[in-house]
Amino acid sequence: MRRMAWLLALWLVPGVAPALEIRDAGHLWMDDTTLLARLDLDMALPEVLVDALENGVTLGFRLEAQAEPDRWLPGRPLARAEQRVQLSYFPLNRHYLVTSRDGERRELRPTLGDALEQSARRLGRVHLEGLPEELREAPEGFRLNARLSLDYTALPLPLQLDAGLRGELTARQEWYGWSLD
Amino acid sequence: MVARLKGLPWGLLGMSLLFILLLASLLVMGDAAQHQARFERLFIWLLVFHAVVLIVLAGLIIYQVVRMFWQYRQGVPGSRLTLRLVSGFMLVAVLPVSVVYYFSYEFLSEGVDSWFDVRVDSALEDALELSRSSLDLRVRQLAEETQEIMENLEGVSEGLMGLTLNDYRRDLGAQELTLVGANNRIIASSTDSPIRQLPSPPSSDILMRVRPGQPYSRLEPEPDDQLVIRVVATTASRRPGTDNRILQAVYPVDPRMSALSLRVQDAFADYREFAYLRGPITQGFIFTMSLALAISLMAALWAGLVVARRLVQPVSDLVQGTRLVAAGDYGTRLQVRRADELGFLVQSFNAMTRTLNEARNEAERNRRLLDAERAYLESVLKHLRSGVLALDGSLRLRTANDAAGQILECDLQGARTRDISEVGRECPLVHQFFEAIRDPLAGHEAEWSRQVVVFTRSGRKVLMTRAVWLPTPGSGRGLHAIVFDDMTEFLKAQRDAAWGEVARRLAHEIKNPLTPIQLSAERLSRRLGRVLEGADREVLERASGTIIQQVEAMKTLVNAFRDYAQAPKLELGRTDVNQLVRDVSELYLGADGSSRVRLDLGEGLPAIRADAGRLRQLLHNLIRNAMEAAEEQERGDELRVDVATAFVESSSGSWIELRVRDNGPGIRPDLLERIFEPYTTDKPRGTGLGLAVAQKIVEEHGGIIECHNDDSGAGGAVFVIRIPVDEGSPSGAPAAEEEQPR
């Protein structure tokens, strides 16, 4: 609910979204129950988030992917997956730290570009499991939709409030889709 | 129950609840501001709640303010007072809140900045730099040692490599030493723990940074909050085409050093984040405070509106009620909404209107009673044949009935409230009447009566007048009530009756001896005439002739008396008045055939029921009277009598009017009022009975006759006779006062 309230508030306020794009969905592979996709992501941050990151604020990124029937009206997703990474600054060696969702995998990168690239690689590996039989039999009638976004609720509240109300951030992100044919 | 629920001030209760919630939310917000986690958890809800409250309050206030200004423009009672009160409330609320807001803003702006000390910032930076330097030193040292090991491994065969790496690992206290060959093939590896997972080859980004003889090293955090130093080295003599091997070493950092460094880093990161967020935090506080201020001001404005409305409502009710009372609605009752002084005022207003209503009803009852009495009195006065006048002390006319106006020949209804002297200038009879009674009126005599004689163009009027002075108790003022009767006709009728009786007796007493006297005189003349001769005979004949002649004259006189006194015995029949006039006028043809009677007969006259013989006598009497009057003036050749007929319609009925005019000297004014009485004549040879008989004939036919002198300049007297056309009532002529020909 809280997240929805924030999203609603930030959605209504015009602002600058991080340049989080999904360029392509390559290397699609599907077996009986699993769809593997490697999404080509392009991640760039607005200045306010770069400042925040270098001043100790941890940024969270999320990639949502779902397989659903390819039709005009959106339907109930048949399978869905979510990837999360955190990006933070590591002052002891002036590197950027990319941490997995569970915190087990940590990778350091000397530049922000490297760190974003590593984050994109991490997020871009999607595993959709539990696919229904009809998708496997006729994949041309289905689509893979994915959305990459910044986790606003993970930001410190003053930053959410200030940047959100100033219009420096927005929660709007686009869905990208590919046919599974 | 429903009525009781409806009577509750739901708006006030709702706003009170809202205000309490607002205070609670502000308290929560103040408490949450002290705890970051709670602040982040609650802030959005508080923000949403305040936004909702703000929108609700803004809506309510906009509605109330628009309504207030609309009422102000419409001039609704109490709206001006409401506007002033609300303005006052707002002024009282805005001034202190603005002062508090200003100082709070200053405190927040400056206060938050004061939390960040430059020295603390610098100390943390230095501590981090110290940790960084210490670790860098260790990293460089380990990098050099790892490079030496890599150089030493140049000649070691792959079969002995595992043991060699194990020895080096133990010597250097490393966690892991891994030798990687081409294509990331692990040649050998040594770890300090058998449960440690298999070593992973260096990542591609590390491999890109490794140069021959220049190891790549860096500090890395471990998931268990430990630091490790990773060094990747290759031989300095690395040549293309050879098996380029890479040694990766992972060294643990001293746990204490690691913990201290991470703690310093965390503190530094937190401080930097906090310092970075101080602007947003300040803005957030100011935003929250502004929100609270806006809500407080709106609540104050709303409360001011409500309080002002509740305060002004009784005043508005009173103003509205006063307007209604001023408009005559004494039934107005105001709802008593309060138990304070304003409520008492409303109760007093209700008591006042109740009293006024009762007084108005009582006055209305009295007025109706008075109207009924006045209507009754006016009805009585209207039907009275006596004239009634009421004059106030200054002789202004207050009341006059119709009979008074008819008797005094003046429109007295239109002369009310006017001074009677002023009215007298327009109505001669009124002037004469009040000149005659001015003295007793001026003297305010309590009660008096007198006979007043006034003169009109057609004669005099005798008015029997009685009056009383009705003083108004305690005021020194009063009212003259004057009642008068026109006794003229009554007195005339009395005289006529007396004359009739005289005439009847005269005729009876005188006529009887006349015939023997005449016969005796004729016998004496006849017998003695034969005896006497000469002068005696001549004396006898002259004396007997005189006797016989005088007896004849007396007979004529007696017959005239008889005609006057004789009870009417009419032989009524359809009579054409114009033909009758023509017949009579032919009797007055001159020797030369010319007539001295000029006719002006109206056309289309209806026939009337009348005694033609009596009417003929009437005409003879009038024409003869006119001729004798003209002859008296010795105007022989100029003698002229005009006879005119006309059909007249008036409110009293239809009449045949007969008008006889002569060109004689007219009637002396002193005789004018008695002209129709017997023996009233100014002619030496007249009997004085002709006009009396004429009047009698007219009255027998239910008509009226009147006489006046012609004042148009031609001179002479004018006799006007009206005979009713109504066949059924020859004796039912309308009252003379209803239609008086002039």
Side-chain angles (χ1 to χ4, degrees):
Chain A
M1 284 295 287
R2 179 167 168 265
R3 174 185 171 80
M4 286 183 64
W6 258 122
L7 288 178
L8 178 64
L10 292 174
W11 188 274
L12 296 174
V13 178
V16 179
L20 305 177
E21 289 185 12
I22 304 174
R23 292 198 193 107
D24 195 10
H27 303 288
L28 286 175
W29 180 83
M30 186 165 51
D31 65 3
D32 288 346
T33 59
T34 306
L35 172 67
L36 299 179
R38 179 162 294 174
L39 306 179
D40 185 7
L41 308 180
D42 183 18
M43 297 176 66
L45 297 179
E47 191 177 348
V48 62
L49 288 181
V50 174
D51 283 347
L53 183 67
E54 291 178 350
N55 281 283
V57 175
T58 301
L59 304 180
F61 296 97
R62 180 175 55 169
L63 184 125
E64 299 164 273
Q66 55 193 34
E68 57 188 45
D70 188 5
R71 58 192 179 199
W72 181 67
L73 287 173
R76 186 168 172 269
L78 301 173
R80 58 188 307 167
E82 185 179 280
Q83 298 278 100
R84 286 176 184 263
V85 295
Q86 285 186 334
L87 178 61
S88 59
Y89 184 63
F90 198 73
L92 277 175
N93 61 0
R94 297 187 179 88
H95 277 49
Y96 294 88
L97 182 63
V98 178
T99 311
S100 63
R101 185 178 196 175
D102 54 6
E104 288 299 318
R105 297 188 63 184
R106 297 187 173 198
E107 292 175 274
L108 282 172
R109 291 295 182 270
T111 64
L112 178 59
D114 291 344
L116 289 172
E117 197 173 322
Q118 178 60 23
S119 300
R121 272 199 296 274
R122 282 272 185 88
L123 291 169
R125 286 194 288 272
V126 176
H127 289 218
L128 280 172
E129 296 179 345
L131 297 177
E133 189 176 348
E134 61 265 29
L135 190 149
R136 294 195 302 274
E137 292 174 353
E140 66 275 10
F142 295 88
R143 287 176 64 80
L144 172 66
N145 290 329
R147 180 171 65 176
L148 177 60
S149 60
L150 174 72
D151 186 1
Y152 285 93
T153 56
L155 295 174
L157 183 64
L159 183 62
Q160 294 177 33
L161 184 67
D162 190 59
L165 294 180
R166 283 172 187 271
E168 293 173 347
L169 286 178
T170 181
R172 277 179 234 135
Q173 283 299 334
E174 300 295 330
W175 283 91
Y176 297 83
W178 302 268
S179 172
L180 292 177
D181 187 7
Chain B
M1 185 65 182
V2 174
R4 287 182 66 186
L5 286 175
K6 281 185 178 175
L8 289 174
W10 286 109
L12 192 61
L13 290 176
M15 286 307 294
S16 302
L17 181 62
L18 203 61
F19 192 66
I20 290 170
L21 287 173
L22 187 65
L23 283 178
S25 71
L26 289 174
L27 286 174
V28 172
M29 183 177 278
D31 181 61
Q34 308 300 320
H35 305 88
Q36 179 74 10
R38 197 180 304 167
F39 182 76
E40 291 187 1
R41 192 174 67 249
L42 294 175
F43 189 82
I44 183 62
W45 294 114
L46 295 173
L47 193 67
V48 170
F49 173 72
H50 287 166
V52 170
V53 170
L54 210 58
I55 291 170
V56 170
L57 274 177
L60 284 171
I61 287 168
I62 288 171
Y63 168 74
Q64 296 277 7
V65 168
V66 168
R67 183 179 167 204
M68 181 177 68
F69 277 100
W70 180 83
Q71 289 179 338
Y72 180 81
R73 289 174 65 93
Q74 295 293 318
V76 174
S79 57
R80 291 171 186 275
L81 190 55
T82 305
L83 189 60
R84 288 184 181 179
L85 280 173
V86 171
S87 303
F89 286 145
M90 274 306 293
L91 196 63
V92 168
V94 165
L95 281 178
V97 169
S98 300
V99 171
V100 170
Y101 180 77
Y102 172 75
F103 284 104
S104 301
Y105 183 87
E106 289 295 315
F107 171 76
L108 281 175
S109 301
E110 302 298 328
V112 171
D113 283 343
S114 69
W115 298 345
F116 301 94
D117 193 337
V118 176
R119 288 176 298 177
V120 174
D121 192 11
S122 185
L124 282 172
E125 187 85 41
D126 293 345
L128 180 68
E129 189 58 36
L130 189 62
S131 301
R132 196 182 284 155
S133 300
S134 173
L135 290 170
D136 281 350
L137 185 64
R138 177 69 177 153
V139 168
R140 280 196 300 274
Q141 179 190 349
L142 290 172
E144 288 173 1
E145 289 177 355
T146 304
Q147 182 64 41
E148 283 180 15
I149 293 171
M150 186 61 212
E151 296 295 339
N152 294 336
L153 290 177
E154 270 294 317
V156 180
S157 65
E158 288 191 1
L160 294 174
M161 191 61 74
L163 292 174
T164 306
L165 288 180
N166 202 35
D167 291 341
Y168 280 125
R169 184 187 60 74
R170 284 182 184 162
D171 291 344
L172 296 174
Q175 281 185 357
E176 176 190 323
L177 283 178
T178 304
L179 186 66
V180 181
N183 297 323
N184 273 351
R185 180 176 65 88
I186 297 175
I187 297 170
S189 179
S190 173
T191 62
D192 61 349
S193 172
I195 60 171
R196 190 180 297 276
Q197 60 184 358
L198 285 175
S200 57
S203 60
S204 58
D205 72 301
I206 293 178
L207 292 175
M208 289 172 61
R209 288 174 174 80
V210 178
R211 298 286 182 273
Q214 295 179 358
Y216 176 78
S217 60
R218 72 182 180 195
L219 192 68
E220 291 185 356
E222 287 290 289
D224 54 356
D225 287 338
Q226 282 294 313
L227 292 173
V228 296
I229 297 171
R230 186 180 300 272
V231 181
V232 179
T234 183
T235 58
S237 58
R238 184 180 177 190
R239 293 181 300 276
T242 61
D243 186 7
N244 293 326
R245 290 184 293 185
I246 292 173
L247 178 63
Q248 175 178 266
V250 179
Y251 301 97
V253 177
D254 176 61
R256 180 166 172 74
M257 180 67 183
S258 180
L260 288 174
S261 299
L262 286 174
R263 209 176 302 159
V264 168
Q265 178 182 256
D266 290 344
F268 175 77
D270 287 347
Y271 188 83
R272 285 292 297 270
E273 182 184 351
F274 197 35
Y276 170 71
L277 292 175
R278 65 183 171 185
I281 288 173
T282 305
Q283 295 302 321
F285 279 132
I286 290 174
F287 175 75
T288 306
M289 189 179 66
S290 303
L291 198 64
L293 174 76
I295 290 173
S296 303
L297 278 180
M298 286 191 178
L301 179 57
W302 183 85
L305 281 165
V306 171
V307 170
R309 198 172 297 284
R310 287 176 66 81
L311 275 176
V312 171
Q313 186 62 48
V315 180
S316 304
D317 292 347
L318 281 171
V319 172
Q320 186 68 23
T322 306
R323 286 182 178 174
L324 289 173
V325 169
D329 182 5
Y330 296 119
T332 303
R333 298 288 182 277
L334 301 180
Q335 184 182 357
V336 182
R337 304 171 190 269
R338 307 163 68 97
D340 53 10
E341 287 79 1
L342 286 173
F344 175 74
L345 195 59
V346 172
Q347 285 179 339
S348 302
F349 177 85
N350 286 339
M352 181 191 74
T353 55
R354 194 177 299 113
T355 306
L356 279 174
N357 196 28
E358 289 171 0
R360 197 264 305 267
N361 291 339
E362 182 66 24
E364 183 66 19
R365 278 196 297 275
N366 290 338
R367 190 187 63 78
R368 285 180 189 160
L369 201 60
L370 204 59
D371 285 348
E373 292 288 339
R374 185 178 292 123
Y376 173 74
L377 187 61
E378 285 182 356
S379 176
V380 169
L381 289 176
K382 187 176 181 68
H383 291 90
L384 273 180
R385 300 181 73 86
S386 302
V388 178
L389 295 175
L391 303 175
D392 61 16
S394 55
L395 298 185
R396 288 184 179 278
L397 183 63
R398 310 300 297 186
T399 304
N401 67 347
D402 294 345
Q406 288 166 0
I407 293 171
L408 295 178
E409 300 176 4
C410 184
D411 178 18
L412 293 176
Q413 299 298 334
R416 287 186 179 180
T417 71
R418 291 174 62 190
D419 191 290
I420 200 66
S421 301
E422 188 183 336
V423 179
R425 282 196 284 273
E426 300 167 5
C427 302
L429 289 194
V430 174
H431 174 72
Q432 293 178 47
F433 182 67
F434 280 96
E435 283 302 317
I437 63 174
R438 180 173 295 279
D439 289 343
L441 288 178
H444 295 316
E445 292 181 20
E447 188 171 350
W448 53 268
S449 65
R450 65 179 54 184
Q451 181 172 304
V452 178
V453 177
V454 295
F455 294 91
T456 71
R457 200 173 51 172
S458 59
R460 68 172 194 166
K461 283 188 176 180
V462 179
L463 306 179
M464 181 55 70
T465 307
R466 297 167 298 281
V468 291
W469 167 247
L470 304 172
T472 304
S475 67
R477 292 181 292 184
L479 204 66
H480 294 285
I482 304 166
V483 181
F484 53 95
D485 292 294
D486 185 358
M487 304 297 290
T488 310
E489 293 297 324
F490 176 73
L491 295 174
K492 180 172 173 296
Q494 277 189 329
R495 281 198 301 273
D496 289 347
W499 276 114
E501 182 62 22
V502 170
R504 189 181 62 76
R505 291 196 176 185
L506 273 175
H508 179 74
E509 297 297 334
I510 294 175
K511 190 177 179 181
N512 287 339
L514 283 181
T515 301
I517 291 171
Q518 185 180 12
L519 292 175
S520 297
E522 288 174 350
R523 191 178 297 130
L524 282 174
S525 175
R526 199 167 47 244
R527 290 191 178 179
L528 292 178
R530 289 192 300 260
V531 178
L532 296 177
E533 292 187 350
D536 293 337
R537 185 176 178 177
E538 187 177 343
V539 169
L540 175 64
E541 287 178 350
R542 193 169 51 243
S544 59
T546 299
I547 291 171
I548 291 169
Q549 189 179 5
Q550 291 302 316
V551 166
E552 282 298 327
M554 288 188 70
K555 278 186 175 179
T556 302
L557 182 64
V558 168
N559 285 336
F561 271 115
R562 182 200 62 198
D563 292 342
Y564 179 74
Q566 195 175 37
K569 190 175 181 180
L570 301 179
E571 294 180 1
L572 297 175
R574 290 178 60 80
T575 306
D576 183 348
V577 175
N578 281 347
Q579 188 58 47
L580 190 71
V581 172
R582 285 190 203 99
D583 292 345
V584 174
S585 66
E586 286 180 358
L587 299 175
Y588 295 92
L589 290 173
D592 55 356
S594 62
S595 176
R596 289 180 295 178
V597 179
R598 296 194 306 188
L599 303 183
D600 179 16
L601 305 180
E603 294 181 356
L605 266 55
I608 59 172
R609 278 176 61 81
D611 186 331
R614 299 286 283 172
L615 287 187
R616 191 172 286 109
Q617 184 182 359
L618 166 68
L619 272 173
H620 275 304
N621 284 0
L622 291 177
I623 292 171
R624 192 164 54 240
N625 179 71
M627 287 185 171
E628 287 172 358
E631 286 169 355
E632 289 292 328
Q633 205 182 14
E634 296 180 349
R635 298 175 61 179
D637 294 340
E638 298 176 3
L639 174 64
R640 191 181 71 243
V641 177
D642 296 325
V643 178
T645 60
F647 176 68
V648 176
E649 281 187 308
S650 68
S651 58
S652 56
S654 302
W655 309 80
I656 294 295
E657 184 177 273
L658 185 63
R659 191 175 288 264
V660 179
R661 180 198 307 267
D662 63 55
N663 59 349
I667 302 168
R668 289 202 327 254
D670 60 319
L671 294 180
L672 197 56
E673 61 172 305
R674 297 183 290 113
I675 195 65
F676 294 110
E677 290 181 9
Y679 290 105
T680 302
T681 179
D682 55 353
K683 294 180 291 222
R685 288 183 298 162
T687 61
L689 288 173
L691 292 179
V693 171
Q695 184 195 34
K696 192 171 181 65
I697 293 170
V698 170
E699 289 177 349
E700 286 169 359
H701 285 82
I704 54 175
I705 183 170
E706 64 102 9
C707 171
H708 61 271
N709 288 324
D710 188 359
D711 52 3
S712 64
V718 180
F719 289 86
V720 181
I721 300 101
R722 284 188 177 183
I723 308 293
V725 175
D726 184 7
E727 295 180 353
S729 58
S731 60
E737 62 271 20
E738 289 182 16
E739 182 69 28
Q740 283 285 4
R742 293 289 179 262

